[in-house]
Amino acid sequence: MNTQPIKAFLPLFRSWFDTASLADKIGAAGLEGSSENILAELDLGPMVEAETSLLNHAPSNAVEAACLLEVVRQNIADAGRSDGLDLRAIAAVQQWLADAPTGATGGQSVERLLRQAQV
């Protein structure tokens, strides 16, 4: 998990999001066997690399957390990732949400929040 801020996180996310939106708009699944499928001609390697970088990033603010959840949401809609990066991204967002109110870090975030709620 990359805990250092990615200076280009939002531009990287925007590129990934725009590419995913394009694929969604043209109905990539319905065009797979068609000669009109422009996605077949595209090199989606950079999108895959961007997605991997995004999912390995620990959010440092609410905007990054929401963006990570969008990547995960779209992946889950497509049956999820087999490498578990979706789960790591959710854990990173959960950790950030748990740490944000108190500034505490480490440990089991949900357990810590439950203990704090009992006090």
Side-chain angles (χ1 to χ4, degrees):
M1 185 66 53
N2 179 12
T3 58
Q4 298 299 318
I6 298 176
K7 291 183 185 204
F9 180 88
L10 288 178
L12 184 63
F13 174 77
R14 171 56 75 186
S15 296
W16 176 89
F17 185 76
D18 288 346
T19 304
S21 295
L22 174 65
D24 216 24
K25 284 179 187 172
I26 64 169
L31 292 174
E32 284 176 5
S34 169
S35 61
E36 297 172 11
N37 184 358
I38 64 170
L39 286 181
E41 303 299 320
L42 294 177
D43 176 12
L44 296 179
M47 183 180 178
V48 171
E49 288 177 28
E51 183 174 289
T52 300
S53 294
L54 292 168
L55 290 172
N56 276 312
H57 177 68
S60 59
N61 56 52
V63 172
E64 290 181 0
C67 291
L68 278 177
L69 290 177
E70 176 60 16
V71 176
V72 172
R73 185 193 66 75
Q74 288 193 28
N75 282 332
I76 289 172
D78 293 335
R81 292 178 58 105
S82 62
D83 61 7
L85 287 178
D86 289 346
L87 295 176
R88 276 195 265 175
I90 288 174
V93 170
Q94 184 180 35
Q95 186 73 44
W96 179 81
L97 287 170
D99 295 347
T102 63
T105 59
Q108 297 294 327
S109 56
V110 174
E111 290 177 14
R112 186 168 16 91
L113 287 175
L114 290 173
R115 281 193 305 273
Q116 291 171 355
Q118 289 176 346
V119 173

